[in-house]
PDB file of all heavy atoms in Angstrom:
ATOM      1  N   PRO A   1      11.019   7.351  -1.608  1.00  0.00           N
ATOM      2  CA  PRO A   1       9.909   7.504  -2.528  1.00  0.00           C
ATOM      3  C   PRO A   1       8.730   8.343  -1.852  1.00  0.00           C
ATOM      4  O   PRO A   1       8.530   8.236  -0.738  1.00  0.00           O
ATOM      5  CB  PRO A   1       9.549   6.147  -2.985  1.00  0.00           C
ATOM      6  CG  PRO A   1       9.937   5.154  -1.883  1.00  0.00           C
ATOM      7  CD  PRO A   1      11.133   5.937  -1.256  1.00  0.00           C
ATOM      8  N   VAL A   2       8.087   8.970  -2.674  1.00  0.00           N
ATOM      9  CA  VAL A   2       6.742   9.590  -2.264  1.00  0.00           C
ATOM     10  C   VAL A   2       5.636   8.536  -2.312  1.00  0.00           C
ATOM     11  O   VAL A   2       5.804   7.462  -2.834  1.00  0.00           O
ATOM     12  CB  VAL A   2       6.364  10.683  -3.456  1.00  0.00           C
ATOM     13  CG1 VAL A   2       4.886  11.005  -3.239  1.00  0.00           C
ATOM     14  CG2 VAL A   2       7.215  11.768  -3.519  1.00  0.00           C
ATOM     15  N   VAL A   3       4.730   8.663  -1.312  1.00  0.00           N
ATOM     16  CA  VAL A   3       3.519   7.696  -1.246  1.00  0.00           C
ATOM     17  C   VAL A   3       2.393   8.426  -2.049  1.00  0.00           C
ATOM     18  O   VAL A   3       1.950   9.464  -1.545  1.00  0.00           O
ATOM     19  CB  VAL A   3       3.284   7.323   0.170  1.00  0.00           C
ATOM     20  CG1 VAL A   3       2.119   6.265   0.190  1.00  0.00           C
ATOM     21  CG2 VAL A   3       4.544   6.749   0.877  1.00  0.00           C
ATOM     22  N   PHE A   4       1.910   7.823  -3.083  1.00  0.00           N
ATOM     23  CA  PHE A   4       0.905   8.361  -3.875  1.00  0.00           C
ATOM     24  C   PHE A   4      -0.340   7.590  -3.801  1.00  0.00           C
ATOM     25  O   PHE A   4      -0.361   6.390  -3.781  1.00  0.00           O
ATOM     26  CB  PHE A   4       1.476   8.330  -5.301  1.00  0.00           C
ATOM     27  CG  PHE A   4       0.472   8.744  -6.411  1.00  0.00           C
ATOM     28  CD1 PHE A   4       0.218  10.092  -6.509  1.00  0.00           C
ATOM     29  CD2 PHE A   4      -0.207   7.870  -7.140  1.00  0.00           C
ATOM     30  CE1 PHE A   4      -0.723  10.482  -7.575  1.00  0.00           C
ATOM     31  CE2 PHE A   4      -1.095   8.229  -8.118  1.00  0.00           C
ATOM     32  CZ  PHE A   4      -1.388   9.558  -8.376  1.00  0.00           C
ATOM     33  N   PHE A   5      -1.440   8.300  -3.481  1.00  0.00           N
ATOM     34  CA  PHE A   5      -2.840   7.583  -3.374  1.00  0.00           C
ATOM     35  C   PHE A   5      -3.578   8.110  -4.607  1.00  0.00           C
ATOM     36  O   PHE A   5      -3.684   9.190  -4.846  1.00  0.00           O
ATOM     37  CB  PHE A   5      -3.393   8.068  -1.964  1.00  0.00           C
ATOM     38  CG  PHE A   5      -2.582   7.672  -0.743  1.00  0.00           C
ATOM     39  CD1 PHE A   5      -1.647   8.580  -0.387  1.00  0.00           C
ATOM     40  CD2 PHE A   5      -2.940   6.446  -0.196  1.00  0.00           C
ATOM     41  CE1 PHE A   5      -0.811   8.236   0.720  1.00  0.00           C
ATOM     42  CE2 PHE A   5      -2.178   6.141   0.922  1.00  0.00           C
ATOM     43  CZ  PHE A   5      -1.057   6.969   1.425  1.00  0.00           C
ATOM     44  N   GLN A   6      -4.252   7.118  -5.161  1.00  0.00           N
ATOM     45  CA  GLN A   6      -4.992   7.169  -6.317  1.00  0.00           C
ATOM     46  C   GLN A   6      -6.449   6.570  -6.138  1.00  0.00           C
ATOM     47  O   GLN A   6      -6.501   5.437  -5.732  1.00  0.00           O
ATOM     48  CB  GLN A   6      -4.280   6.413  -7.485  1.00  0.00           C
ATOM     49  CG  GLN A   6      -5.083   6.001  -8.672  1.00  0.00           C
ATOM     50  CD  GLN A   6      -4.071   5.395  -9.657  1.00  0.00           C
ATOM     51  OE1 GLN A   6      -3.383   6.105 -10.339  1.00  0.00           O
ATOM     52  NE2 GLN A   6      -4.096   4.115  -9.723  1.00  0.00           N
ATOM     53  N   GLN A   7      -7.482   7.410  -6.459  1.00  0.00           N
ATOM     54  CA  GLN A   7      -8.829   6.944  -6.162  1.00  0.00           C
ATOM     55  C   GLN A   7      -9.188   5.997  -7.426  1.00  0.00           C
ATOM     56  O   GLN A   7      -8.920   6.334  -8.611  1.00  0.00           O
ATOM     57  CB  GLN A   7      -9.755   8.203  -6.292  1.00  0.00           C
ATOM     58  CG  GLN A   7     -11.207   7.854  -5.983  1.00  0.00           C
ATOM     59  CD  GLN A   7     -12.015   9.141  -5.888  1.00  0.00           C
ATOM     60  OE1 GLN A   7     -11.967   9.861  -6.830  1.00  0.00           O
ATOM     61  NE2 GLN A   7     -12.887   9.092  -4.865  1.00  0.00           N
ATOM     62  N   VAL A   8      -9.742   4.838  -7.017  1.00  0.00           N
ATOM     63  CA  VAL A   8     -10.117   3.821  -8.063  1.00  0.00           C
ATOM     64  C   VAL A   8     -11.607   3.475  -7.611  1.00  0.00           C
ATOM     65  O   VAL A   8     -11.968   3.593  -6.476  1.00  0.00           O
ATOM     66  CB  VAL A   8      -9.228   2.651  -8.066  1.00  0.00           C
ATOM     67  CG1 VAL A   8      -7.854   2.974  -8.582  1.00  0.00           C
ATOM     68  CG2 VAL A   8      -9.150   1.980  -6.763  1.00  0.00           C
ATOM     69  N   PRO A   9     -12.372   3.025  -8.624  1.00  0.00           N
ATOM     70  CA  PRO A   9     -13.774   2.761  -8.333  1.00  0.00           C
ATOM     71  C   PRO A   9     -13.997   1.466  -7.545  1.00  0.00           C
ATOM     72  O   PRO A   9     -15.016   1.278  -6.877  1.00  0.00           O
ATOM     73  CB  PRO A   9     -14.475   2.667  -9.636  1.00  0.00           C
ATOM     74  CG  PRO A   9     -13.310   2.427 -10.620  1.00  0.00           C
ATOM     75  CD  PRO A   9     -12.053   3.034 -10.016  1.00  0.00           C
ATOM     76  N   GLU A  10     -13.145   0.484  -7.811  1.00  0.00           N
ATOM     77  CA  GLU A  10     -13.368  -0.816  -7.171  1.00  0.00           C
ATOM     78  C   GLU A  10     -12.597  -0.943  -5.838  1.00  0.00           C
ATOM     79  O   GLU A  10     -11.605  -0.349  -5.638  1.00  0.00           O
ATOM     80  CB  GLU A  10     -12.768  -1.991  -8.098  1.00  0.00           C
ATOM     81  CG  GLU A  10     -11.319  -1.898  -8.378  1.00  0.00           C
ATOM     82  CD  GLU A  10     -10.773  -0.948  -9.344  1.00  0.00           C
ATOM     83  OE1 GLU A  10     -11.600  -0.335 -10.040  1.00  0.00           O
ATOM     84  OE2 GLU A  10      -9.456  -0.919  -9.432  1.00  0.00           O
ATOM     85  N   GLY A  11     -13.083  -1.792  -4.972  1.00  0.00           N
ATOM     86  CA  GLY A  11     -12.474  -1.946  -3.648  1.00  0.00           C
ATOM     87  C   GLY A  11     -11.423  -3.053  -3.746  1.00  0.00           C
ATOM     88  O   GLY A  11     -11.400  -3.775  -4.790  1.00  0.00           O
ATOM     89  N   LYS A  12     -10.690  -3.261  -2.637  1.00  0.00           N
ATOM     90  CA  LYS A  12      -9.706  -4.267  -2.592  1.00  0.00           C
ATOM     91  C   LYS A  12     -10.409  -5.698  -2.507  1.00  0.00           C
ATOM     92  O   LYS A  12     -11.300  -5.846  -1.790  1.00  0.00           O
ATOM     93  CB  LYS A  12      -8.885  -4.039  -1.408  1.00  0.00           C
ATOM     94  CG  LYS A  12      -7.654  -5.045  -1.301  1.00  0.00           C
ATOM     95  CD  LYS A  12      -6.809  -4.737  -0.134  1.00  0.00           C
ATOM     96  CE  LYS A  12      -5.829  -5.903   0.196  1.00  0.00           C
ATOM     97  NZ  LYS A  12      -6.442  -7.150   0.518  1.00  0.00           N
ATOM     98  N   THR A  13      -9.960  -6.603  -3.194  1.00  0.00           N
ATOM     99  CA  THR A  13     -10.558  -7.948  -3.278  1.00  0.00           C
ATOM    100  C   THR A  13      -9.647  -9.038  -2.858  1.00  0.00           C
ATOM    101  O   THR A  13     -10.163 -10.148  -2.480  1.00  0.00           O
ATOM    102  CB  THR A  13     -11.271  -8.207  -4.533  1.00  0.00           C
ATOM    103  OG1 THR A  13     -10.311  -8.168  -5.587  1.00  0.00           O
ATOM    104  CG2 THR A  13     -12.435  -7.237  -4.870  1.00  0.00           C
ATOM    105  N   VAL A  14      -8.490  -9.058  -3.020  1.00  0.00           N
ATOM    106  CA  VAL A  14      -7.435  -9.970  -2.754  1.00  0.00           C
ATOM    107  C   VAL A  14      -6.177  -9.504  -2.052  1.00  0.00           C
ATOM    108  O   VAL A  14      -6.128  -8.367  -1.828  1.00  0.00           O
ATOM    109  CB  VAL A  14      -6.977 -10.719  -4.114  1.00  0.00           C
ATOM    110  CG1 VAL A  14      -8.186 -11.460  -4.879  1.00  0.00           C
ATOM    111  CG2 VAL A  14      -6.293  -9.761  -5.063  1.00  0.00           C
ATOM    112  N   LYS A  15      -5.419 -10.482  -1.647  1.00  0.00           N
ATOM    113  CA  LYS A  15      -4.198 -10.069  -0.952  1.00  0.00           C
ATOM    114  C   LYS A  15      -3.313  -9.234  -1.721  1.00  0.00           C
ATOM    115  O   LYS A  15      -3.109  -9.410  -2.993  1.00  0.00           O
ATOM    116  CB  LYS A  15      -3.433 -11.385  -0.585  1.00  0.00           C
ATOM    117  CG  LYS A  15      -2.171 -11.205   0.218  1.00  0.00           C
ATOM    118  CD  LYS A  15      -1.463 -12.533   0.511  1.00  0.00           C
ATOM    119  CE  LYS A  15      -0.187 -12.260   1.276  1.00  0.00           C
ATOM    120  NZ  LYS A  15       0.810 -11.525   0.653  1.00  0.00           N
ATOM    121  N   ASN A  16      -2.640  -8.261  -1.059  1.00  0.00           N
ATOM    122  CA  ASN A  16      -1.680  -7.357  -1.823  1.00  0.00           C
ATOM    123  C   ASN A  16      -0.550  -8.202  -2.399  1.00  0.00           C
ATOM    124  O   ASN A  16      -0.067  -9.132  -1.847  1.00  0.00           O
ATOM    125  CB  ASN A  16      -1.009  -6.516  -0.725  1.00  0.00           C
ATOM    126  CG  ASN A  16      -1.865  -5.630  -0.090  1.00  0.00           C
ATOM    127  OD1 ASN A  16      -3.181  -5.705  -0.032  1.00  0.00           O
ATOM    128  ND2 ASN A  16      -1.300  -4.510   0.542  1.00  0.00           N
ATOM    129  N   ARG A  17      -0.063  -7.773  -3.553  1.00  0.00           N
ATOM    130  CA  ARG A  17       1.129  -8.390  -4.133  1.00  0.00           C
ATOM    131  C   ARG A  17       2.362  -7.672  -3.733  1.00  0.00           C
ATOM    132  O   ARG A  17       3.500  -8.149  -3.840  1.00  0.00           O
ATOM    133  CB  ARG A  17       1.033  -8.474  -5.690  1.00  0.00           C
ATOM    134  CG  ARG A  17      -0.122  -9.346  -6.220  1.00  0.00           C
ATOM    135  CD  ARG A  17       0.047 -10.776  -5.882  1.00  0.00           C
ATOM    136  NE  ARG A  17       1.256 -11.339  -6.497  1.00  0.00           N
ATOM    137  CZ  ARG A  17       1.342 -11.859  -7.648  1.00  0.00           C
ATOM    138  NH1 ARG A  17       0.316 -12.209  -8.406  1.00  0.00           N
ATOM    139  NH2 ARG A  17       2.447 -12.399  -8.104  1.00  0.00           N
ATOM    140  N   LEU A  18       2.102  -6.430  -3.231  1.00  0.00           N
ATOM    141  CA  LEU A  18       3.309  -5.627  -2.879  1.00  0.00           C
ATOM    142  C   LEU A  18       2.812  -4.941  -1.468  1.00  0.00           C
ATOM    143  O   LEU A  18       1.675  -4.563  -1.428  1.00  0.00           O
ATOM    144  CB  LEU A  18       3.638  -4.559  -3.831  1.00  0.00           C
ATOM    145  CG  LEU A  18       4.732  -3.495  -3.493  1.00  0.00           C
ATOM    146  CD1 LEU A  18       6.023  -4.101  -3.570  1.00  0.00           C
ATOM    147  CD2 LEU A  18       4.508  -2.371  -4.472  1.00  0.00           C
ATOM    148  N   HIS A  19       3.597  -4.849  -0.477  1.00  0.00           N
ATOM    149  CA  HIS A  19       3.187  -4.242   0.826  1.00  0.00           C
ATOM    150  C   HIS A  19       4.417  -3.570   1.554  1.00  0.00           C
ATOM    151  O   HIS A  19       5.562  -3.905   1.265  1.00  0.00           O
ATOM    152  CB  HIS A  19       2.505  -5.220   1.738  1.00  0.00           C
ATOM    153  CG  HIS A  19       3.342  -6.272   2.258  1.00  0.00           C
ATOM    154  ND1 HIS A  19       3.420  -7.580   1.591  1.00  0.00           N
ATOM    155  CD2 HIS A  19       4.273  -6.431   3.216  1.00  0.00           C
ATOM    156  CE1 HIS A  19       4.197  -8.331   2.218  1.00  0.00           C
ATOM    157  NE2 HIS A  19       4.746  -7.712   3.193  1.00  0.00           N
ATOM    158  N   PHE A  20       4.132  -2.663   2.388  1.00  0.00           N
ATOM    159  CA  PHE A  20       5.125  -2.017   3.209  1.00  0.00           C
ATOM    160  C   PHE A  20       5.573  -3.014   4.435  1.00  0.00           C
ATOM    161  O   PHE A  20       4.658  -3.681   4.949  1.00  0.00           O
ATOM    162  CB  PHE A  20       4.580  -0.764   3.909  1.00  0.00           C
ATOM    163  CG  PHE A  20       4.359   0.288   2.982  1.00  0.00           C
ATOM    164  CD1 PHE A  20       3.096   0.978   2.887  1.00  0.00           C
ATOM    165  CD2 PHE A  20       5.324   0.752   2.076  1.00  0.00           C
ATOM    166  CE1 PHE A  20       2.810   2.002   2.045  1.00  0.00           C
ATOM    167  CE2 PHE A  20       5.048   1.872   1.213  1.00  0.00           C
ATOM    168  CZ  PHE A  20       3.754   2.421   1.216  1.00  0.00           C
ATOM    169  N   CYS A  21       6.820  -3.072   4.744  1.00  0.00           N
ATOM    170  CA  CYS A  21       7.291  -3.652   5.839  1.00  0.00           C
ATOM    171  C   CYS A  21       7.846  -2.554   6.720  1.00  0.00           C
ATOM    172  O   CYS A  21       8.843  -2.008   6.436  1.00  0.00           O
ATOM    173  CB  CYS A  21       8.381  -4.743   5.667  1.00  0.00           C
ATOM    174  SG  CYS A  21       7.659  -6.219   4.855  1.00  0.00           S
ATOM    175  N   LEU A  22       7.155  -2.294   7.900  1.00  0.00           N
ATOM    176  CA  LEU A  22       7.653  -1.201   8.700  1.00  0.00           C
ATOM    177  C   LEU A  22       8.453  -1.627   9.950  1.00  0.00           C
ATOM    178  O   LEU A  22       8.251  -2.723  10.480  1.00  0.00           O
ATOM    179  CB  LEU A  22       6.461  -0.534   9.314  1.00  0.00           C
ATOM    180  CG  LEU A  22       5.341   0.037   8.384  1.00  0.00           C
ATOM    181  CD1 LEU A  22       4.177   0.615   9.017  1.00  0.00           C
ATOM    182  CD2 LEU A  22       5.925   0.881   7.245  1.00  0.00           C
ATOM    183  N   GLN A  23       9.624  -0.903  10.168  1.00  0.00           N
ATOM    184  CA  GLN A  23      10.411  -1.132  11.305  1.00  0.00           C
ATOM    185  C   GLN A  23      10.375   0.096  12.222  1.00  0.00           C
ATOM    186  O   GLN A  23      10.696   1.129  11.802  1.00  0.00           O
ATOM    187  CB  GLN A  23      11.890  -1.463  11.026  1.00  0.00           C
ATOM    188  CG  GLN A  23      12.687  -1.843  12.158  1.00  0.00           C
ATOM    189  CD  GLN A  23      14.163  -2.146  11.697  1.00  0.00           C
ATOM    190  OE1 GLN A  23      14.808  -1.359  10.962  1.00  0.00           O
ATOM    191  NE2 GLN A  23      14.686  -3.165  12.205  1.00  0.00           N
ATOM    192  N   PRO A  24       9.849  -0.062  13.539  1.00  0.00           N
ATOM    193  CA  PRO A  24       9.740   1.083  14.367  1.00  0.00           C
ATOM    194  C   PRO A  24      11.095   1.735  14.624  1.00  0.00           C
ATOM    195  O   PRO A  24      12.016   0.973  14.777  1.00  0.00           O
ATOM    196  CB  PRO A  24       9.187   0.453  15.613  1.00  0.00           C
ATOM    197  CG  PRO A  24       8.623  -0.796  15.229  1.00  0.00           C
ATOM    198  CD  PRO A  24       9.257  -1.200  14.045  1.00  0.00           C
ATOM    199  N   THR A  25      11.281   2.939  14.695  1.00  0.00           N
ATOM    200  CA  THR A  25      12.452   3.572  15.026  1.00  0.00           C
ATOM    201  C   THR A  25      12.619   4.063  16.472  1.00  0.00           C
ATOM    202  O   THR A  25      13.709   4.116  16.910  1.00  0.00           O
ATOM    203  CB  THR A  25      12.580   4.920  14.177  1.00  0.00           C
ATOM    204  OG1 THR A  25      11.405   5.759  14.403  1.00  0.00           O
ATOM    205  CG2 THR A  25      12.605   4.526  12.679  1.00  0.00           C
ATOM    206  N   ASP A  26      11.570   4.223  17.100  1.00  0.00           N
ATOM    207  CA  ASP A  26      11.659   4.800  18.487  1.00  0.00           C
ATOM    208  C   ASP A  26      10.849   4.059  19.555  1.00  0.00           C
ATOM    209  O   ASP A  26      10.553   4.681  20.641  1.00  0.00           O
ATOM    210  CB  ASP A  26      11.442   6.289  18.629  1.00  0.00           C
ATOM    211  CG  ASP A  26      10.098   6.639  18.061  1.00  0.00           C
ATOM    212  OD1 ASP A  26       9.341   5.811  17.590  1.00  0.00           O
ATOM    213  OD2 ASP A  26       9.781   7.868  18.173  1.00  0.00           O
TER     214      ASP A  26
END
């Protein structure tokens, strides 16, 4: 998937309900 960034007026206030889990490749 594409990673899409969208401007919103409010800041983050609570824990993410969805997040990336990254696994290093090298």
Side-chain angles (χ1 to χ4, degrees):
V2 167
V3 183
F4 175 77
F5 299 84
Q6 161 179 278
Q7 187 177 45
V8 297
E10 68 279 351
K12 182 180 171 300
T13 58
V14 297
K15 183 181 180 296
N16 299 16
R17 294 294 301 262
L18 176 74
H19 65 266
F20 294 125
C21 288
L22 306 177
Q23 184 179 49
T25 58
D26 58 354

